[in-house]
C-alpha cells in the first residue's frame, strides 16, 4: 500500500530539568521505597512542562521530526485512509493522570501532501530502565510520532470528522453505486461507540431519498460477539 504507513514514526527523548518540577518537592530525592508510578505522579508538573514544550515547538512548526509526504496516484485512490481521533480526558482521569497525546498536522484525509501525526509522550524515571538506580532517579520523557492521513484532536467535533472523512465515502458509495466501509478501532473507552453514533446521526441527514438501492449497516464486534447497531435500506414503496 502506497501513501502513508500508520504506526511507523519517529522517537525523541528529552531530559526533564529539575527546575521544571515543583520546587517544594526538594528535587529528586531518595525514592524511599515508592513505586515508579507514584514517583511519576509526584513529578507531574515536570513531565507536563516537557509535553507543553513539545506542543509549543509543533505550534511554531519546529517539529522534532519532519512529517512524511503522502504520494497518492490515480491507481491508489482506493487505498484505506487512516484517521486518528483523540478524545478529551474525563474528569476522573484528569485527577489521577495527565494528557500525553499531542495532535500534529491537518485534517486533509483525501489529499496529497504531508501526513499528520499523533505524538504519544511516555514519562520515565531512570529506575524504569535500571532498577538499581534507587537514589536520585533522573526523569526523562520519550515522545513517539504515529503517522496517519489525518488527526483530529479533542476540540474537533464528530460533524467535522464526518465532513472530512466520511462524506466523500457516502458520495462515492451511494451516488456511484460503490461500497464504503468505516472501521473504528481502539481499546475499550477510547470513544468508538460515541464516534459511530455521531457519524450515523450525520449520515441520516446526508442520504438522498431519491436514490434507490443503498443500504447502511453498523456492526459492533466485541471479541467473539457481533451485534447490529443500526441498519437502513432504501427501496420502493
Amino acid at each position: 500500500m502506497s501513501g502513508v504507513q500508520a504506526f511507523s514514526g519517529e522517537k525523541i527523548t528529552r531530559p526533564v530539568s529539575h527546575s521544571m518540577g515543583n520546587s517544594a518537592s526538594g528535587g529528586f530525592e531518595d525514592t524511599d521505597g515508592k513505586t515508579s508510578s507514584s514517583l511519576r505522579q509526584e513529578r507531574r508538573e515536570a513531565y507536563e512542562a516537557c509535553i507543553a514544550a513539545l506542543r509549543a515547538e509543533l505550534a511554531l512548526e519546529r517539529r522534532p521530526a519532519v512529517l512524511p509526504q503522502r504520494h497518492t496516484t490515480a491507481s491508489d485512490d482506493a487505498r484505506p485512509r487512516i484517521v486518528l481521533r483523540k478524545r478529551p480526558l474525563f474528569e476522573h482521569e484528569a485527577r489521577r493522570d495527565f494528557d500525553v497525546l499531542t495532535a500534529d498536522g491537518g485534517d486533509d484525509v483525501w489529499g496529497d501532501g504531508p501526513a499528520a501525526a499523533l505524538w504519544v509522550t511516555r514519562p520515565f524515571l531512570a529506575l524504569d530502565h535500571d532498577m538499581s538506580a534507587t537514589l536520585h532517579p533522573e526523569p526523562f520523557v520519550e515522545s513517539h510520532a504515529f503517522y496517519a492521513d489525518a488527526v483530529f484532536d479533542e476540540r474537533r467535533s464528530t460533524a467535522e470528522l464526518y465532513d472530512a472523512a466520511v462524506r466523500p465515502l457516502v458520495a462515492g458509495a451511494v451516488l456511484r453505486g460503490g461500497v464504503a466501509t468505516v472501521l473504528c478501532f481502539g481499546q475499550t473507552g477510547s470513544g468508538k461507540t460515541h464516534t459511530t453514533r455521531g457519524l450515523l446521526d450525520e449520515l441520516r441527514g446526508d442520504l438522498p431519498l431519491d436514490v434507490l438501492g443503498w443500504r447502511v449497516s453498523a456492526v459492533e464486534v466485541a471479541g467473539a460477539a457481533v451485534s447490529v447497531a443500526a441498519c437502513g435500506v432504501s427501496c420502493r414503496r
Side-chain angles (χ1 to χ4, degrees):
M1 181 179 73
S2 58
V4 65
Q5 276 193 324
F7 311 118
S8 171
E10 302 290 335
K11 179 181 76 173
I12 60 173
T13 301
R14 296 171 181 266
V16 177
S17 168
H18 287 211
S19 62
M20 299 174 106
N22 184 347
S23 59
S25 67
F28 297 95
E29 69 279 359
D30 187 273
T31 63
D32 195 26
K34 298 174 183 176
T35 65
S36 60
S37 177
S38 63
L39 286 167
R40 282 195 292 270
Q41 286 303 313
E42 285 186 6
R43 316 307 176 203
R44 174 175 179 151
E45 290 184 13
Y47 291 126
E48 286 182 319
C50 280
I51 296 170
L54 171 65
R55 291 172 178 168
E57 290 180 5
L58 296 175
L60 296 173
E61 297 193 355
R62 291 203 295 262
R63 293 183 176 87
V66 178
L67 293 176
Q69 292 288 319
R70 297 177 294 170
H71 302 287
T72 302
T73 64
S75 61
D76 194 38
D77 279 345
R79 76 167 177 84
R81 264 49 173 199
I82 299 179
V83 179
L84 305 180
R85 188 183 194 189
K86 173 190 173 186
R87 71 158 173 80
L89 290 178
F90 298 130
E91 289 186 8
H92 69 275
E93 294 172 328
R95 285 194 296 267
R96 68 172 188 266
D97 210 337
F98 47 94
D99 184 3
V100 298
L101 301 181
T102 302
D104 177 23
D107 58 4
D108 184 8
V109 178
W110 301 98
D112 290 324
L118 185 69
W119 289 87
V120 181
T121 300
R122 298 181 63 194
F124 288 102
L125 293 168
L127 59 82
D128 289 322
H129 289 262
D130 180 5
M131 293 307 295
S132 66
T134 55
L135 294 177
H136 307 289
E138 294 299 325
F140 63 97
V141 298
E142 285 184 353
S143 297
H144 298 252
F146 295 90
Y147 299 132
D149 287 290
V151 174
F152 290 77
D153 65 20
E154 67 274 23
R155 296 168 296 182
R156 306 298 297 276
S157 68
T158 302
E160 290 176 294
L161 176 63
Y162 178 86
D163 288 340
V166 181
R167 177 165 280 136
L169 294 176
V170 176
V174 174
L175 301 182
R176 290 182 288 185
V179 177
T181 301
V182 176
L183 173 65
C184 296
F185 181 81
Q187 70 182 56
T188 300
S190 59
K192 303 182 299 299
T193 301
H194 171 81
T195 296
T196 300
R197 287 175 177 170
L199 293 178
L200 288 173
D201 287 341
E202 296 294 326
L203 181 62
R204 289 188 182 97
D206 215 18
L207 290 171
L209 298 179
D210 57 345
V211 175
L212 302 178
W214 54 258
R215 178 184 179 89
V216 177
S217 60
V219 178
E220 183 174 3
V221 180
V226 179
S227 59
V228 177
C231 183
V233 182
S234 72
C235 59
R236 296 185 184 276
R237 293 175 180 259

